[in-house]
Amino acid sequence: MKHFCSITCLLFVFLNSSLARAQGPAVVGTALSPVRNAPAVPRTASVVIPFSQPVNPATAGNIKMFSSQYRGSRTATTSTNANAATLLPTAPAGQSAAFKPGETVSVTVPATVLGTNGAGTVPYVYQFTAAATGGSGSFALNGDISVAGGDWACEVRVGDLDGDGDLDVVTNSGSPNSFSNITVGKINVLLNNGTGSYTAAPAIVVPLGPSSVALGDIDSDLDILSANHGNDSGNGNTVSICFNNGTGTFASPVNLIVAQSPQRIKLGDMDGDGDLDLVVNGSLTQVFFNNGSGGFSNSTAPGSPGGSITRSGSNLADMDGDGSLDLVGPGGIYRNNGQGSFTAVAGTSGGYYNDAIGDIDGDGDLDVITVGNVNTSLFGSNVLVQKNDGTGRVAATTTLTISSTSTYPTIIPCVALGDIDGDGDLDLLAGFSNNQLGIAVWQNDGQGHFMALPSFSGNVQAMNMVLADVDGDGDLDIVASIYSGYNVKILLNTTTLATTTARPARLVTLYPNPAASAATVQLSRAGMSTSAATQVTIYNGLGQVVAVSTLHAGQDTNTLPTAHLPAGCYMVRLQSADGNSTQRLVLY
């Protein structure tokens, strides 16, 4: 009997260890919180990563969270509970740990996060955008910031370079338009006093014609990288890496040799190992992998940039929802296999120029806003709205034009997406020139349909612009590099917009979202008939109806019938005589 028990116990141990091995690596689940590509995440939200099996708590701290604006790699307290890890962002004493309004946050789960069976997790990268609050979408000029040398400030980026909690500005300046005369370039660091006014720090000298700048934590602080395209004789062709000492001063640049005429650079974790890699667009599109300390090695170039538009660069975004960052740029869309190796997506070779990427219609995948009808080597003449079909392919659904009575053609050098009116969706801006110089503004209805607002026409010809809260009031302002004039312009978002047409409030709010089992629906009855009954229909990912309920006349809140539903993503549709509304709900 004793021998039988021993054999049984050994068999039990063997079967369980075999089962553990058979489970294989942990896989990140779909019930992420915040949800993938969310455009308006509460700034104090924690990050919850679900897994297919329990993970080793000692390795959960290897999950990385990168801010595009605040301190680079974010610190966080990490805890585990069953098959999930929760990250709560932290900050130095005296500073807020909240995400910055409108910033993109990237989270990497690397293979060094181990399951309790000892196997590494399949790497996964995902992104979301922090919410902005307030604002009207009407802008007022707050002043110019002069930059050192050159006849234009080509690109502009914002981030907390000196660790004081507010957003500083980085831009580049070169020498005269004829690149043969370039002997030196400069990166300008402009430090914020906390209210959106700036003081120039010492410029960083870089080689030969800086054309693009990027901010990212490639070692331990928010560092600056500069693409330097060289001169007409072919001298140059470098990316300068400027390491931050943590206080907004920078070491002498380390120069990386790249292919001819680098014009645009981007940073992102292309191989899912927990550090930021470098993508360079020029005569080739090149990917350089970070060794974890800010040293880069070259991979095989995924393809040429396409056409003659060398000044357009690739954006990095998970277009197909597989947990890796793809390339979207002039050569088309290239799908990442998760290890930084790329394959062209069929039917996307037309090119995406000077684009902006975000979920404009609230369906969870990323859409592309791009300059269309390209009429020079630099610019376009209208804006194309291209929606994702859910597989990573996009197609133009709307063409937006800027009205003009001038005989001059409309020239659009740049576009940007951001929630400028604080209603939870991504609005659209485009720099333009025709008979005037300005920035066109379109307001999103939440479903990717855009309504033109009054343009800002204060003689601003934006070569490049970013949306960020530079004055600390929670809404998104404009920081624009100017085509000529040796300066950067700051445009502050105002609180009222008397000239715009009022748009109806959102019909429905779901909370909590994501929800563990039960969620509440709340109506906003502003402009609605209080006697109207509202039908609530819940659809699963296949479009099948899985639950139906009714909000009766005068009833503003109700618990949704979700207790019987498995974890996953659902669409909640409300229909009444006053109109329809659709929201996404995540159950975990």
Side-chain angles (χ1 to χ4, degrees):
M1 183 69 177
K2 182 182 295 185
H3 291 297
F4 174 78
C5 291
S6 299
I7 293 171
T8 302
C9 291
L10 289 171
L11 180 61
F12 177 81
V13 171
F14 173 78
L15 290 174
N16 275 275
S17 61
S18 297
L19 178 62
R21 287 194 299 271
Q23 283 183 313
V27 177
V28 173
T30 58
L32 294 156
S33 178
V35 297
R36 188 173 60 89
N37 304 326
V41 172
R43 294 175 53 211
T44 57
S46 56
V47 175
V48 181
I49 311 292
F51 294 90
S52 60
Q53 59 182 278
V55 296
N56 184 340
T59 65
N62 293 330
I63 300 172
K64 298 295 184 181
M65 182 164 47
F66 291 98
S67 163
S68 60
Q69 295 182 356
Y70 179 57
R71 305 184 69 87
S73 180
R74 292 297 308 264
T75 57
T77 57
T78 304
S79 59
T80 58
N81 181 18
N83 287 25
T86 299
L87 283 73
L88 181 64
T90 59
Q95 292 191 17
S96 170
F99 300 120
K100 293 296 183 182
E103 74 166 335
T104 297
V105 178
S106 182
V107 179
T108 295
V109 181
T112 52
V113 177
L114 305 180
T116 51
N117 63 352
T121 300
V122 176
Y124 192 92
V125 179
Y126 96 104
Q127 297 175 321
F128 58 85
T129 299
T133 54
S136 65
S138 179
F139 297 89
L141 185 62
N142 193 50
D144 299 345
I145 310 171
S146 297
V147 299
D151 74 337
W152 68 36
C154 189
E155 277 197 338
V156 64
R157 298 289 180 261
V158 297
D160 183 12
L161 299 175
D162 52 5
D164 63 356
D166 54 40
L167 298 181
D168 309 305
V169 173
V170 173
T171 188
N172 57 305
S173 58
S175 288
N177 286 335
S178 174
F179 293 156
S180 61
N181 294 328
I182 295 175
T183 57
V184 70
K186 293 181 179 178
I187 301 299
N188 304 279
V189 178
L190 310 165
L191 300 178
N192 193 341
N193 69 358
T195 64
S197 297
Y198 289 85
T199 302
I204 304 170
V205 176
V206 295
L208 299 177
S211 58
S212 179
V213 291
L215 294 182
D217 183 357
I218 61 172
D219 61 345
S220 60
D221 293 296
L222 205 55
D223 308 302
I224 301 175
L225 287 81
S226 167
N228 312 306
H229 54 58
N231 58 20
D232 288 346
S233 61
N235 297 318
N237 303 320
T238 60
V239 169
S240 294
I241 303 167
C242 310
F243 291 101
N244 192 344
N245 69 359
T247 62
T249 57
F250 296 84
S252 297
V254 175
N255 294 314
L256 176 70
I257 303 299
V258 298
Q260 186 178 2
S261 300
Q263 297 287 349
R264 292 293 183 267
I265 53 176
K266 294 285 185 179
L267 291 169
D269 190 353
M270 308 305 290
D271 53 3
D273 64 351
D275 52 40
L276 296 183
D277 308 305
L278 171 65
V279 177
V280 184
N281 284 99
S283 59
L284 292 175
T285 299
Q286 297 174 286
V287 180
F288 293 84
F289 293 114
N290 193 338
N291 65 4
S293 302
F296 292 95
S297 59
N298 183 219
S299 76
T300 302
S304 67
S308 60
I309 315 300
T310 59
R311 289 186 181 272
S312 292
S314 293
N315 255 314
L316 312 181
D318 183 4
M319 298 298 295
D320 53 4
D322 65 351
S324 60
L325 297 180
D326 308 306
L327 296 177
V328 182
I333 297 177
Y334 290 84
R335 180 172 288 128
N336 190 346
N337 70 350
Q339 300 175 344
S341 180
F342 298 88
T343 303
V345 176
T348 66
S349 60
Y352 305 94
Y353 303 112
N354 297 324
D355 54 27
I357 295 179
D359 182 8
I360 62 171
D361 52 5
D363 64 355
D365 53 39
L366 293 173
D367 310 299
V368 179
I369 306 295
T370 183
V371 171
N373 288 354
V374 176
N375 55 20
T376 74
S377 62
L378 294 177
F379 312 127
S381 58
N382 56 35
V383 175
L384 299 181
V385 178
Q386 305 194 69
K387 293 187 178 181
N388 196 330
D389 67 1
T391 69
R393 293 178 173 84
V394 298
T397 58
T398 307
T399 300
L400 302 175
T401 58
I402 299 171
S403 60
S404 172
T405 58
S406 172
T407 57
Y408 295 103
T410 296
I411 295 176
I412 301 174
C414 61
V415 292
L417 284 172
D419 184 5
I420 59 175
D421 52 5
D423 66 350
D425 53 39
L426 299 178
D427 307 302
L428 171 60
L429 293 86
F432 72 89
S433 66
N434 40 47
N435 62 323
Q436 61 181 353
L437 306 178
I439 296 174
V441 182
W442 290 276
Q443 191 176 43
N444 193 344
D445 70 351
Q447 297 179 342
H449 307 130
F450 292 95
M451 177 183 70
L453 297 182
S455 297
F456 177 85
S457 54
N459 198 36
V460 171
Q461 187 176 15
M463 180 77 169
N464 176 253
M465 62 180 165
V466 295
L467 302 176
D469 180 18
V470 299
D471 55 358
D473 63 354
D475 59 30
L476 296 184
D477 311 301
I478 300 174
V479 182
S481 58
I482 305 307
Y483 183 72
S484 60
Y486 305 91
N487 61 22
V488 170
K489 290 187 183 291
I490 306 294
L491 286 69
L492 298 183
N493 200 335
T494 61
T495 56
T496 58
L497 183 57
T499 56
T500 187
T501 302
R503 57 181 284 195
R506 271 186 198 276
L507 181 63
V508 58
T509 300
L510 302 177
Y511 63 89
N513 191 8
S517 59
T520 297
V521 58
Q522 178 174 333
L523 289 181
S524 171
R525 289 192 177 270
M528 295 177 61
S529 169
T530 57
S531 63
T534 303
Q535 179 173 299
V536 182
T537 307
I538 304 177
Y539 300 85
N540 64 15
L542 299 176
Q544 299 166 325
V545 176
V546 294
V548 178
S549 65
T550 300
L551 285 171
H552 297 288
Q555 185 180 9
D556 292 343
T557 62
N558 195 17
T559 300
L560 290 173
T562 56
H564 68 290
L565 298 178
C569 293
Y570 297 86
M571 299 303 295
V572 180
R573 182 169 176 80
L574 279 79
Q575 297 170 286
S576 76
D578 295 301
N580 303 327
S581 180
T582 302
Q583 294 280 306
R584 185 174 58 170
L585 174 66
V586 176
L587 299 178
Y588 64 90

